[in-house]
Every structure is written in structure tokens, then in C-alpha cells.
């Protein structure tokens, strides 16, 4: 196991001296230039190969490389020709890995209305059509056909969130765990560094892939005879896939166990789900990475650049993050529509200040850096270095959110370490200013703990954030204005947004700034009725917002909201919850986002008359105005 490991570029001269061999090889010619005649692992990626810690295939490849393995990457292989991309490296010594992409392929390809998108942010020049729907299924079928004896390991968002029975919005049906449909041997779910290293080591030691059934954070298919009895220690036996097909309430009840075990500090229990004559076995998660472990993942010798094969082309997703720095992984927000905790975990793994500053200096040395770091953030921008004060309490906790229905009293919400990161980054030579582009949890920053020092620090954080770290527009996500809908979403009351907006306006006025607050909202979320959207329109109008960051709820696997959408039941109460499901119901809600567009005025007015809400007509359009009949086609 010998591997050429380049140095991490940290000066303009080192960036200028980069050679193709400083990336992982994507062709046989590049492999031979590294002095190799074969590889240990071949990774197939649905994304373009960008050698950056925000791109999963690069992280897994660099992790294996640092352990001494020879790794090649085949980005966006052509699955429609003679399959030469799948054949070119031959059979690797250890395994094939499938990384479908940093974004779920179906969300990437389709809108909430199931219309095909015309671009792909993870492809050179944003070109669409460079990956199939469900790459895990397509790539694994091809690899198994070509190389029947080589182990195939699937990872990434797509496989991770489909590890058990799940509702597929795009096919409008319940599907079994993805291993039942794919030709992969094993799924490495969640963040994959630990798992893929252990798999490589065990395969390298001569173990058969079929015998690796106990590794944490993996999913395997086993004979039904291995399924334990219900109630067996260390295990949870879920309702079978067939039972979930018959009874949506069983699918909803399953999800509560799945989410609770995903949020367990110690990784939780082993989950079993019978599917046909086999059983899906989900081994527990690893605990959150220790600081040294997450530092090691981010300190690998990434060039932070797209592979030279893309010279002259633009990769939109990379352009968004090229001058950003990720501070941590995980999210304890537990939003009902979000998959972050299901994939990254609820407990925060934070990098050391030293590791972060190394990367800031690396960004500052990039040839195209103009002095502005676009984002010092994370899945939620302001959870850095936070967690429970008493870890014993956390170990017993199964709450899906540390912030809902109210902030956990055991949670340390001190923003002082984050302020220190901001100040230190701004002091790095070449950095004019650092911005926060990730979403900020203002409920976390504004929470009153009762500790005077912490509360003073957090007030200072809010003010410094607004005054010094906003690049003209600050993105926040209240998501709705109705407290009933927000409760289903696991989000705070909209009253708190009013408080934050007052602070935002006050800081802007006192500093002579003209920055914008950009709120995100969702329509058609479970629990949301048409009247809730009408109230949202009136409340946001009163706040002088013409909304631009809006979307219809899109059901994605492994979220509470998706389970409600499909089953009609809330997984934690098994009570019915209304959800807009038809296109007519969804459009009836979405139109209220655009109350200011005359094309929608007649339709909105007639709807409010039907609901006997003349007060809202008056709030939106004024007492003397009657809408003209709609003209032409309405914008969708």
C-alpha cells in the first residue's frame, strides 16, 4: 500500500505549481503518471470531481489515500455508451465505491412539481443530463454485470437516506430499503470516513465482503433467519416493508424509531426490517467525530480546485463555496423537513481553531481570492462548539431537536467561540472581511439563558453578525408565520422573527447600512392550510417583504414531514395531519407568495371571499380596490 500524497497548497506559489498528479487520478494515463499500474479502490461519482472538503467523493478518496491506499475517481461516468468509463481501471484490488452526489439525484433533477430541471450545479457549465436518476441503482447494476466478484459499496446522501423503507415522491410509491433494489453489497450511511476506512482495512486483511455484517454505520441484507425476536436487547425490529405497504400507520410508527436511533449519542440500537425473504440490518451510527478526527478529515491535502480536466469550464456549486470554510458538522435543530441530522447526526463535531485558520490561510492564498471569505459556516451557521453541558443527560436523550419545542436547558448556547473564529479569520493576512452565508438560527442566538455573561455575548454576536459579517443580504429561515404550522415544522414562533427583524433594522440604522434580510418560506408543508398561507401573505406584506426565497414543500426520504405527507399520520403521535397533496391544493397555497403580482389578485380575492375573510382582502389589496379579471397565462 504505497500512495503519492501531495502537500496541501498554502501559498500562491504552491497553487501555481500544482500538477495533475496533485489530484486523485481520473484516467489510466493519470494513474500511470503517479507510478501506479493498478488501484485499490475506484470511486464513481455523480458529481464533477472537485478536490474540496465540500465534495464527498474527494473526502472519501483523500481519506483512503492518507491511509496508504491507491484511489482513482471516475466522475460522472457515461452509463449510456459502451461503458468504457466503468471498465477503464479494471477491477480494483479492494472495492468499487459509489458516491451519487452531494445533492440527492432526484432533488437535483426535478422541481417540487416533478418537472425536469434544465441545469445541474454539480456539472461543468451547469449542463443537465450528466448523471442518471438514482445513480446508486444504475452504477451498481453496471458494475455488478461487468465485475461480478468485486465488492460494491454505496454511500452518500442517496443511499444514506434510503436505507430503510421510504416514500419516493417522484414515483409516488413506497419503496424498500435501497439495498433490496440495488446490486451493492453494503451501504456506508452518514458521513463515511470511519466506515470506509474500516471496510478497506478488513477487506485488505482478507475478509469477505459477505462476512462484514457488524460494522457500525453500515447497512447489509441478511437472511430472514438472522432477524432477532422483537424486544431482543440491543435491537429494534421494525414493521416489515410489506406491512408498511398495507398500513401507512406502520410506516409512520417505524420512522419514530429510525429518527430516535439516528439521534442517539452512542449510535443507538441495531434496526431490522424484513423485506421479502430477507432482512435489512442497519448497524448503529458512530458517535460524533472527536475534534482531532474532524480536523484530520479537513486537513487532508485538498487542492480546493476542480480537476484540471475541467479547465475553462465553470462548476456552479463550486463557485458558491470556493472561498468558504466549513466550521463543523451536524445539526441539533431537528427541522421536520430537513435531512441533515439523519445524515450528519444531531451532535456537533467542531473543528479546532487551528484547523480552521489553516484553511482560512489556504483560501487567502488562492490566486483568485479578492479578500472576502464568502462563508464561515456549517449546516447551521451558528452551532459551532455547542453541545450539552452534561453529556450524561445527552446520552439518555432521544429528542429529535435541542431547540424545539423550546431550547434544551442543558444546551450550551455560548457564541463566544464563534466570535473568536470570526475575529481571528478577519485578522489573517489578505482577508478584508469574512461573511456568513449559511443559514443562521436566530432563535439560538437570541435565546435568553439566564446566564448574564452568555446572554451578553450572544447579544454581541447578533450585533456583530449584522454589522460586520453580512454581504448585503442575510438569509434566515422562519419558514412560516403560523405557529401551528411552525410547531409541525419544529421551528420557533414567528414572533421571534419580528424580534430579530427589529434588531436587524436597528443595527443597520445605527451603522448607516442598507442591508437586506432575506427570509425563506415553505408552502404546502404538512399541517399548512390555505388560510395559513393567506395569513402569511398578510403578515409578510405588513413587514414590507416581497418574497423571493420561497418553495413548495418537496417530500424527500427520511424526514418527519415526508412521513406525514405519505402516511397522513404524525410519527410521534400517530394522529392525522392535513397535507396539501394535489397540484390544485398546492397551487392554491403557493399563489399567496405572489399577492403583489396583479396576475394573482383576482384568484386570491375569490379564494378569500370563499373563506369569508374580507379582512385579509383589505390587508392585502386595500378597501377600495377590486381586482381586474385575470389576463393571459398565470405565472407558475
Amino acid at each position: 500500500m504505497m500512495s503519492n500524497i501531495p502537500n496541501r497548497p498554502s501559498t500562491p506559489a504552491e497553487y501555481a505549481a500544482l500538477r495533475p498528479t496533485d489530484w486523485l487520478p481520473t484516467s489510466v494515463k493519470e494513474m500511470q503518471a503517479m507510478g501506479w499500474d493498478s488501484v485499490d479502490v475506484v470511486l464513481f461519482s455523480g458529481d464533477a470531481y472537485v478536490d474540496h472538503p465540500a465534495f464527498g467523493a474527494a473526502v472519501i478518496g483523500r481519506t483512503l489515500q492518507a491511509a496508504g491506499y491507491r484511489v482513482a475517481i471516475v466522475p460522472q461516468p457515461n452509463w449510456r455508451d459502451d461503458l468504457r468509463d466503468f471498465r477503464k481501471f479494471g477491477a480494483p484490488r479492494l472495492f468499487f465505491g459509489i458516491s451519487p452526489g452531494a445533492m440527492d439525484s432526484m432533488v437535483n433533477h426535478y422541481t417540487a412539481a416533478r418537472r425536469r430541471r434544465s441545469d445541474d450545479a454539480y456539472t461543468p457549465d451547469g449542463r443537465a443530463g450528466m448523471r442518471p436518476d438514482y445513480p446508486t441503482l444504475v452504477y451498481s447494476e453496471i458494475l455488478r454485470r461487468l465485475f461480478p466478484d468485486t465488492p460494491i459499496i454505496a454511500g452518500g446522501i442517496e443511499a444514506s437516506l434510503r436505507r430503510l423503507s421510504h416514500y419516493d415522491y417522484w414515483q409516488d410509491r413506497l419503496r424498500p430499503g435501497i439495498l433490496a433494489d440495488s446490486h451493492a453489497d453494503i451501504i456506508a450511511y452518514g458521513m463515511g470516513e470511519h466506515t470506509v476506512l474500516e471496510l478497506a482495512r478488513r477487506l485488505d486483511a482478507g475478509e469477505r465482503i459477505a462476512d462484514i455484517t457488524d460494522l457500525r454505520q453500515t447497512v447489509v441484507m441478511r437472511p430472514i433467519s438472522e432477524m432477532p425476536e422483537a424486544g431482543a436487547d440491543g435491537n429494534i425490529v421494525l414493521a416489515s416493508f410489506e406491512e408498511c405497504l398495507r398500513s401507512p400507520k406502520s410506516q409512520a410508527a417505524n420512522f419514530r424509531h429510525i429518527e430516535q436511533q439516528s439521534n442517539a449519542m452512542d449510535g443507538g440500537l441495531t434496526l431490522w426490517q424484513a423485506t421479502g425473504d430477507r432482512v435489512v440490518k442497519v448497524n448503529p451510527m458512530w458517535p460524533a467525530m472527536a475534534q482531532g478526527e474532524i480536523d484530520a478529515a479537513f486537513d487532508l491535502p485538498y487542492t480546493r480546485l476542480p480537476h484540471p480536466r475541467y479547465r475553462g469550464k465553470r462548476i456552479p456549486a463550486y463557485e458558491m463555496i470556493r472561498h468558504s470554510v466549513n466550521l463543523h458538522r451536524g445539526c441539533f435543530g431537528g427541522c421536520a423537513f430537513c435531512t441533515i441530522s439523519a445524515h450528519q447526526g444531531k451532535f456537533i463535531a467542531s473543528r479546532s481553531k487551528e484547523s480552521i485558520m489553516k484553511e482560512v490561510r489556504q483560501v487567502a492564498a488562492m490566486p483568485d481570492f479578492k479578500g472576502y471569505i464568502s462563508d464561515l459556516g456549517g449546516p447551521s451557521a451558528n452551532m459551532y462548539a455547542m453541545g450539552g453541558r452534561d453529556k450524561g443527560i445527552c446520552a439518555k436523550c432521544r429528542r429529535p431537536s435541542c431547540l424545539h419545542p423550546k431550547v434544551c436547558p442543558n444546551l450550551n448556547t455560548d457564541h463566544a467561540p464563534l466570535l473568536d473564529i470570526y475575529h481571528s479569520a478577519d485578522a489573517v493576512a489578505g482577508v478584508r472581511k469574512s461573511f456568513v452565508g449559511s443559514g443562521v438560527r436566530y432563535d439560538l442566538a437570541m435565546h435568553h439563558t439566564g446566564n448574564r455573561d452568555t446572554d451578553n455575548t450572544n447579544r454581541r454576536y447578533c450585533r456583530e453578525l449584522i454589522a460586520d459579517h453580512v454581504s448585503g443580504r442575510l438569509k434566515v429561515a422562519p419558514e412560516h408565520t403560523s405557529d401551528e404550522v411552525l410547531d409541525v415544522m419544529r421551528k420557533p414562533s414567528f414572533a421571534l422573527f419580528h424580534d430579530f427583524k427589529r434588531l436587524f433594522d436597528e443595527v443597520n440604522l445605527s451603522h448607516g447600512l442598507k442591508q437586506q434580510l432575506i427570509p425563506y418560506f415553505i408552502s404546502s408543508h404538512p399541517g399548512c392550510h390555505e388560510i395559513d398561507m393567506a395569513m402569511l401573505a398578510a403578515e409578510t406584506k405588513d413587514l414590507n417583504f416581497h418574497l423571493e426565497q420561497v418553495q413548495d414543500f418537496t417530500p424527500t426520504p427520511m424526514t418527519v414531514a415526508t412521513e406525514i405527507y405519505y402516511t397522513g399520520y404524525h410519527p410521534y403521535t400517530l394522529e392525522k395531519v392535513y397535507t396539501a397533496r394535489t397540484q390544485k391544493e398546492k397551487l392554491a397555497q403557493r399563489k399567496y407568495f405572489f399577492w403583489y403580482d396583479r396576475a394573482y389578485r383576482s384568484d386570491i380575492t375569490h379564494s378569500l371571499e370563499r373563506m369569508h375573510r374580507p379582512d385579509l382582502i383589505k390587508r392585502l389589496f386595500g378597501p377600495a380596490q377590486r381586482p381586474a379579471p385575470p389576463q393571459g397565462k398565470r405565472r407558475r
Side-chain angles (χ1 to χ4, degrees):
M1 293 192 310
M2 297 297 294
S3 181
N4 300 331
I5 302 179
N7 293 319
R8 176 176 172 169
S10 57
T11 67
E14 288 175 355
Y15 271 107
L18 286 172
R19 300 166 298 170
T21 50
D22 291 316
W23 282 260
L24 297 171
T26 65
S27 68
V28 171
K29 182 178 179 181
E30 291 167 10
M31 176 189 75
Q32 292 170 342
M34 299 183 80
W36 307 346
D37 55 8
S38 63
V39 293
D40 301 314
V41 176
V42 181
L43 301 177
F44 288 87
S45 173
D47 293 337
Y49 172 31
V50 180
D51 191 36
H52 187 285
F55 288 74
V59 175
I60 296 302
R62 289 297 191 186
T63 298
L64 288 165
Q65 180 193 44
Y69 297 102
R70 296 176 173 180
V71 184
I73 290 184
V74 181
Q76 300 187 314
N78 190 334
W79 73 100
R80 292 171 290 202
D81 62 2
D82 61 2
L83 307 181
R84 67 187 67 183
D85 285 342
F86 292 89
R87 302 173 192 270
K88 63 183 176 182
F89 287 106
R93 187 172 66 89
L94 297 179
F95 64 85
F96 290 113
I98 296 173
S99 175
M103 185 176 180
D104 186 273
S105 67
M106 302 307 284
V107 177
N108 185 308
H109 286 172
Y110 299 94
T111 69
R114 298 189 178 96
R115 295 193 183 99
R116 190 87 184 187
R117 299 186 192 274
S118 60
D119 58 359
D120 181 340
Y122 290 87
T123 297
D125 293 333
R127 181 181 172 189
M130 296 300 289
R131 79 182 87 216
D133 291 352
Y134 309 107
T136 300
L137 303 182
V138 175
Y139 293 172
S140 67
E141 187 278 328
I142 292 170
L143 290 170
R144 178 61 69 228
R145 182 156 33 98
L146 296 177
F147 304 98
D149 300 322
T150 305
I152 301 171
I153 298 168
I157 288 282
E158 181 170 89
S160 181
L161 302 184
R162 292 169 171 79
R163 53 190 185 256
L164 289 157
S165 63
H166 57 280
Y167 172 65
D168 188 296
Y169 173 69
W170 299 274
Q171 296 184 346
D172 193 23
R173 67 183 179 99
L174 194 71
R175 295 186 64 149
I178 196 169
L179 266 185
D181 286 336
S182 83
H183 292 266
D185 294 288
I186 194 167
I187 291 172
Y189 72 91
M191 307 307 286
E193 293 98 330
H194 278 337
T195 309
V196 78
L197 273 180
E198 277 301 303
L199 283 167
R201 288 167 181 155
R202 290 174 69 165
L203 290 169
D204 201 19
E207 286 192 58
R208 296 169 59 246
I209 190 70
D211 295 332
I212 302 177
T213 65
D214 60 346
L215 179 59
R216 275 184 178 256
Q217 219 157 302
T218 61
V219 183
V220 293
M221 294 292 292
R222 304 302 301 158
I224 197 76
S225 59
E226 292 188 12
M227 188 168 70
E229 294 292 325
D233 286 349
N235 299 277
I236 294 177
V237 177
L238 302 171
S240 71
F241 171 63
E242 289 75 19
E243 172 60 22
C244 291
L245 278 175
R246 289 190 295 269
S247 167
K249 188 177 280 191
S250 295
Q251 172 69 17
N254 272 1
F255 186 78
R256 179 174 183 172
H257 292 301
I258 296 166
E259 185 176 51
Q260 286 180 333
Q261 298 313 308
S262 295
N263 288 333
M265 189 176 193
D266 62 357
L269 307 177
T270 301
L271 300 176
W272 301 79
Q273 185 179 38
T275 302
D277 60 356
R278 296 184 295 169
V279 62
V280 178
K281 180 187 181 185
V282 181
N283 291 304
M285 294 182 76
W286 298 101
M289 279 183 160
Q291 188 174 84
E293 293 170 329
I294 192 168
D295 280 358
F298 278 88
D299 291 347
L300 293 167
Y302 306 103
T303 63
R304 291 186 60 90
L305 297 170
H307 189 275
R309 66 190 286 157
Y310 307 121
R311 189 170 285 116
K313 297 182 179 179
R314 176 178 172 271
I315 301 172
Y318 170 68
E319 296 298 317
M320 290 179 63
I321 54 89
R322 66 189 306 162
H323 297 142
S324 69
V325 177
N326 191 10
L327 309 183
H328 68 272
R329 289 180 183 169
C331 180
F332 50 70
C335 297
F337 48 82
C338 182
T339 60
I340 291 172
S341 65
H343 188 66
Q344 294 194 9
K346 181 177 78 170
F347 295 94
I348 304 300
S350 296
R351 300 170 64 185
S352 68
K353 179 180 176 180
E354 179 185 11
S355 174
I356 293 167
M357 289 306 114
K358 273 186 196 174
E359 189 171 0
V360 170
R361 288 190 287 272
Q362 189 183 12
V363 172
M366 293 177 72
D368 63 343
F369 184 66
K370 306 299 183 186
Y372 300 99
I373 295 177
S374 61
D375 186 23
L376 288 175
S380 286
N382 57 319
M383 292 184 181
Y384 176 74
M386 294 185 188
R389 296 183 185 87
D390 183 339
K391 298 297 188 279
I393 294 175
C394 294
K396 298 173 184 176
C397 179
R398 293 297 182 267
R399 276 180 58 175
S401 171
C402 301
L403 301 180
H404 183 271
K406 59 182 180 179
V407 177
C408 176
N410 187 46
L411 181 65
N412 170 22
T413 65
D414 185 4
H415 284 62
L418 191 52
L419 280 172
D420 182 44
I421 294 295
Y422 293 173
H423 299 161
S424 298
D426 286 346
V428 168
V431 175
R432 298 182 184 181
K433 190 179 282 287
S434 60
F435 296 118
V436 176
S438 309
V440 173
R441 287 297 300 244
Y442 54 81
D443 53 331
L444 179 60
M446 298 180 73
H447 172 63
H448 295 289
T449 66
N451 179 298
R452 186 173 62 181
D453 290 341
T454 298
D455 288 347
N456 286 339
T457 296
N458 293 356
R459 278 194 292 271
R460 189 169 77 251
Y461 170 82
C462 289
R463 291 183 173 275
E464 286 195 23
L465 169 73
I466 296 166
D468 300 328
H469 300 287
V470 175
S471 179
R473 296 155 64 91
L474 178 62
K475 300 173 184 176
V476 293
E479 306 294 7
H480 215 285
T481 59
S482 162
D483 282 354
E484 289 76 16
V485 178
L486 288 166
D487 188 53
V488 179
M489 289 179 163
R490 296 178 181 160
K491 296 287 286 186
S493 169
F494 193 64
L496 200 58
F497 176 79
H498 283 275
D499 294 341
F500 186 73
K501 185 178 185 303
R502 279 191 290 271
L503 176 63
F504 185 86
D505 292 342
E506 175 198 325
V507 173
N508 271 274
L509 183 63
S510 63
H511 286 76
L513 301 171
K514 294 182 179 180
Q515 299 176 140
Q516 288 181 290
L517 189 62
I518 308 298
Y520 284 67
F521 291 97
I522 297 176
S523 62
S524 302
H525 190 277
C528 181
H529 295 75
E530 184 178 346
I531 190 61
D532 297 313
M533 292 303 299
M535 291 295 297
L536 182 151
E539 289 204 43
T540 54
K541 183 204 173 185
D542 291 345
L543 290 168
N544 200 30
F545 284 118
H546 282 200
L547 303 180
E548 55 180 81
Q549 296 295 335
V550 298
Q551 64 181 44
D552 292 336
F553 169 65
T554 303
T556 54
M558 219 164 183
T559 70
V560 173
T562 296
E563 297 302 322
I564 298 172
Y565 178 92
Y566 168 67
T567 68
Y569 298 96
H570 196 293
Y572 283 75
T573 65
L574 296 184
E575 295 177 354
K576 283 187 171 292
V577 178
Y578 168 77
T579 305
R581 286 184 57 90
T582 68
Q583 189 71 355
K584 181 179 178 181
E585 289 172 323
K586 291 180 179 183
L587 291 173
Q589 292 199 18
R590 189 176 186 273
K591 68 190 178 190
Y592 290 98
F593 284 142
F594 310 108
W595 61 267
Y596 52 84
D597 187 332
R598 291 187 65 86
Y600 289 89
R601 185 174 294 186
S602 178
D603 195 2
I604 289 173
T605 300
H606 292 316
S607 294
L608 292 175
E609 287 174 342
R610 171 177 48 81
M611 292 187 284
H612 307 292
R613 293 304 300 265
D615 58 316
L616 293 180
I617 297 174
K618 182 176 179 180
R619 283 179 69 180
L620 289 174
F621 306 123
Q625 299 183 40
R626 292 294 298 174
Q631 298 177 1
K633 288 185 69 176
R634 293 189 305 175
R635 180 162 57 88
R636 288 288 187 246

